[in-house]
Amino acid sequence: MTRYVFITGGVVSSLGKGLSSAALGALLQARGFKVRLRKLDPYLNVDPGTMSPYQHGEVYVTDDGAETDLDLGHYERFTGVSARKSDNVTTGRIYSTVITRERRGDYLGGTVQVIPHVTDAIKEFVTSDITDEDFVLCEIGGTVGDIEGLPFLEAIRQLRNELGREKTMYVHVTLVPFLGAAGELKTKPTQHSVKELLSVGIQPDLLLCRCEREIAADARRKLALFCNVQESRVIPAEDVETIYQVPITYHEQGFDTEVLNHFGLTEERDREVDLSRWSEIVRSILNPEGEVNIAIVGKYTNLMDAYKSLSEALTHGGIANNVRVNTRWIEAEIFEQEDHIHELENCHGILVPGGFGERGAEGKIQAAQFARRRKVPYFGICFGMQMAVIEAARNLAGIPEANSTEFGPCKEPVVGLLTEWMRGNTVEHRAEDDELGGTMRLGTYPCRVEPGSRIAEIFGGELEISERHRHRYEVNVNYRQRLESAGLQFSGLSPDKRLPEIVELRDHPWYIGVQFHPELKSRPFAPHPIFTSFIKAAVDQARLV
């Protein structure tokens, strides 16, 4: 029997609903249950693919090519369950579906309305593509009270009536702030948030209360009384030193126990839970044996959520090498305006991540040049690989006018628009004037690795790997011979050998660029091999400094 847990949020945004959902998923897994996690986003975009990272953080890409909310990254990292297109939906997609059905005449001439047509489409999303999962955890984005979230709240209210209490549970994540002037925690924001939920017909079954410090017993009793929940289901969610402590602290506070109590799973509740792997991850993060400094030269460095998976993958690489990874976020444009290259002097590794557009491109090229000349470990991801190739073309292969057509017409298009590629046995086509949304090379594609290369060594001798992509431009394979003659090896290619996937410098301690996004497949308990190797190279560099 599949049970549904709906996670809502109140008072303010960014309370950590995604992390709470992911942590609960991990705890239920530790108890032997099969879980699936989903995100319902109220914004009108069909997906986040065309949104600026400053608006909504990174775009997380699934194996099957969906551009999704970054919370799906948390779900995958905490549970190891690969997300699918069916695990993230937006208001835009819901309305697009409903309007398409109306145009086809599916509603048989009826007036199309939010209730029942939009809410039915939401319920269909929540309950579809489920096989033998024991629990489906559905996070509703936004904050209770937002006008755009009302159809989603109405849909999950209806699901309680249709599925029954024994198959549904409402968890409300809220804020219990501490006012320094008063010297006390305040429960009123949570009370008002629950009142807002009640106004749409939803009584929360459990409160997850975000707080900076311990919630006293009398405050928990007050919350239970005024919010009409059992006192044992007022769960404190205090700030922690690392997000990977969250499953441990939630278990200690009885979060998973109360969820099982709600569903009457008393036998499973009483089983011992093994969280040793999470304890080991936390130990490694909080008590490392050393540290390294990694410079990340990007263009969205003012918002850490723009590179969330990247940041976590670096932490995973640190876990694998038992070191702390100190990240130094550097805006690429500063290298273009004046001489700031000294900012890279004390770094043990340089990483240039993905991005779009010309802004900061020359700064990223300078960072790649610095790493190449100074023999500092360099890791270029997607756009970062392309800029490394352009740098090598200009300064090693004697192609001074090398550039990317992403920035406009150029004489030497070392990087150009990707117009055709294979997706399984199907040829995908794109044109320059296509719509932007959902038209990139998205999802998992195979890559053939060159025997004897560094990347082959990193993957333990595997000669075919599979990684996730999100890009519209590609290194021009027609320049391969000239670049390889200059020392830049094309060590990974698509199976048809038309699309360069990996490059590396032969005469360098560690210099690798990849067209895919390995950070999307890294997990705390299974760090991605490239990040593990990169951080090891940074450790070796630190010993030399």
Side-chain angles (χ1 to χ4, degrees):
M1 180 174 76
T2 301
R3 302 162 184 86
Y4 294 85
V5 180
F6 300 105
I7 299 98
T8 57
V11 184
V12 295
S13 60
S14 302
L15 279 179
K17 296 192 303 295
L19 276 174
S20 298
S21 303
L24 177 58
L27 289 172
L28 292 171
Q29 274 188 332
R31 290 181 176 274
F33 293 105
K34 185 176 181 181
V35 301
R36 183 150 217 89
L37 291 100
R38 295 190 151 162
K39 177 74 183 286
L40 289 70
D41 276 308
Y43 51 76
L44 277 170
N45 303 66
V46 172
D47 59 45
T50 57
M51 295 167 68
S52 164
Y54 285 131
Q55 288 283 312
H56 206 67
E58 75 170 1
V59 175
Y60 193 79
V61 178
T62 60
D63 282 336
D64 56 2
E67 293 177 292
T68 71
D69 184 79
L70 64 82
D71 278 330
L72 273 74
H74 291 314
Y75 304 163
E76 286 201 8
R77 284 188 287 272
F78 275 68
T79 68
V81 177
S82 293
R84 301 193 287 254
K85 286 182 179 181
S86 57
D87 292 326
N88 188 204
V89 76
T90 67
T91 298
R93 227 174 94 197
I94 292 293
Y95 273 89
S96 178
T97 299
V98 170
I99 291 168
T100 298
R101 289 172 178 175
E102 185 272 332
R103 294 287 81 190
R104 283 200 310 252
D106 291 2
Y107 300 121
L108 303 176
T111 301
V112 180
Q113 298 176 289
V114 173
I115 302 172
H117 302 100
V118 171
T119 52
D120 281 352
I122 294 169
K123 290 187 292 183
E124 183 182 317
F125 162 78
V126 169
T127 57
S128 66
D129 197 23
I130 300 297
T131 52
D132 58 343
E133 284 82 2
D134 299 301
F135 285 92
V136 176
L137 313 182
C138 287
E139 175 195 349
I140 289 79
T143 307
V144 169
D146 296 343
I147 190 168
E148 60 265 30
L150 289 175
F152 291 97
L153 296 177
E154 171 60 19
I156 66 172
R157 184 198 68 80
Q158 293 177 19
L159 281 169
R160 163 63 64 90
N161 289 336
E162 293 170 15
L163 299 175
R165 188 180 183 281
E166 67 278 5
K167 289 186 179 180
T168 56
M169 182 179 188
Y170 299 126
V171 173
H172 191 49
V173 184
T174 185
L175 179 68
V176 180
F178 178 80
L179 296 186
E184 62 180 342
L185 291 165
K186 307 302 289 185
T187 64
K188 193 64 73 176
T190 295
Q191 293 178 48
H192 280 293
S193 185
V194 171
K195 185 178 179 181
E196 192 76 41
L197 257 186
L198 287 169
S199 72
V200 295
I202 295 175
Q203 163 67 56
D205 299 303
L206 182 147
L207 297 179
L208 197 58
C209 301
R210 286 299 311 275
C211 49
E212 296 179 15
R213 56 188 66 196
E214 183 181 358
I215 301 177
D218 60 339
R220 292 179 69 172
R221 281 193 294 271
K222 185 177 181 181
L223 284 166
L225 178 64
F226 283 93
C227 297
N228 196 30
V229 298
Q230 297 176 30
E231 187 179 336
S232 62
R233 295 186 185 177
V234 178
I235 306 294
E238 290 186 57
D239 294 345
V240 291
E241 293 182 81
T242 167
I243 61 172
Y244 300 116
Q245 280 181 284
V246 174
I248 299 170
T249 57
Y250 279 3
H251 176 66
E252 291 171 348
Q253 294 293 346
F255 185 16
D256 53 323
T257 300
E258 290 302 327
V259 169
L260 297 184
N261 281 338
H262 173 86
F263 290 108
L265 298 169
T266 53
E267 184 179 334
E268 292 84 349
R269 175 200 65 193
D270 295 334
R271 291 177 189 160
E272 192 162 338
V273 184
D274 183 8
L275 298 179
S276 57
R277 73 171 179 174
W278 292 105
S279 299
E280 182 57 28
I281 287 168
V282 171
R283 183 211 61 76
S284 180
I285 292 173
L286 300 184
N287 299 289
E289 294 180 355
E291 60 182 14
V292 293
N293 302 322
I294 303 296
I296 302 173
V297 182
K299 62 184 294 186
Y300 311 113
T301 56
N302 291 326
L303 181 68
M304 293 304 99
D305 274 356
Y307 298 111
K308 189 62 182 174
S309 292
L310 180 68
S311 177
E312 294 306 315
L314 286 167
T315 298
H316 304 161
I319 292 171
N321 288 280
N322 205 19
V323 295
R324 176 179 292 112
V325 178
N326 302 316
T327 51
R328 184 180 302 170
W329 301 87
I330 302 174
E331 190 70 29
E333 283 184 287
I334 68 168
F335 299 132
E336 300 172 9
Q337 297 161 1
E338 52 186 293
D339 185 17
H340 278 280
I341 206 71
H342 62 274
E343 300 269 359
L344 302 173
E345 289 287 352
N346 297 318
C347 293
H348 307 124
I350 297 170
L351 193 153
V352 176
F356 296 92
E358 189 172 9
R359 182 175 68 84
E362 291 298 327
K364 293 180 179 183
I365 289 170
Q366 288 187 42
Q369 183 181 56
F370 179 93
R372 178 178 61 79
R373 289 179 171 175
R374 298 290 193 91
K375 304 293 186 183
V376 177
Y378 177 86
F379 189 7
I381 296 175
C382 196
F383 193 82
M385 166 183 159
Q386 295 170 9
M387 296 306 100
V389 172
I390 290 173
E391 192 279 324
R394 290 178 183 177
N395 300 309
L396 291 179
I399 312 173
E401 294 184 283
N403 218 323
S404 171
T405 60
E406 184 174 356
F407 315 143
C410 58
K411 290 185 178 180
E412 299 285 359
V414 172
V415 176
L417 181 68
L418 182 62
T419 58
E420 184 179 294
W421 65 91
M422 294 297 297
R423 178 78 175 177
N425 295 320
T426 305
V427 179
E428 296 268 352
H429 296 280
R430 295 291 182 272
E432 194 167 351
D433 58 352
D434 277 352
E435 294 180 350
L436 294 179
T439 57
M440 287 184 276
R441 188 175 185 233
L442 294 165
T444 298
Y445 288 88
C447 168
R448 298 276 171 81
V449 174
E450 191 69 25
S453 62
R454 179 182 292 276
I455 201 72
E457 178 187 339
I458 288 171
F459 278 95
E462 284 186 57
L463 298 183
E464 180 161 319
I465 59 174
S466 179
E467 295 286 344
R468 296 181 190 177
H469 295 68
R470 183 177 184 253
H471 62 104
R472 186 172 279 109
Y473 290 81
E474 181 79 49
V475 171
N476 189 340
V477 75
N478 294 326
Y479 287 87
R480 178 182 180 183
Q481 186 174 351
R482 293 168 71 181
L483 286 164
E484 289 201 321
S485 296
L488 188 70
Q489 181 184 9
F490 283 48
S491 54
L493 294 159
S494 59
D496 60 8
K497 299 187 177 181
R498 296 175 63 185
L499 304 178
E501 294 274 12
I502 307 169
V503 296
E504 56 186 74
L505 274 178
R506 296 190 186 96
D507 187 24
H508 193 284
W510 205 101
Y511 191 104
I512 290 175
V514 298
Q515 184 58 68
F516 45 82
H517 288 268
E519 70 271 23
L520 300 178
K521 295 183 77 170
S522 188
R523 312 283 180 261
F525 39 82
H528 195 283
I530 303 181
F531 279 92
T532 298
S533 180
F534 175 58
I535 297 303
K536 183 180 185 304
V539 171
D540 293 339
Q541 181 75 12
R543 294 192 183 111
L544 297 174
V545 175

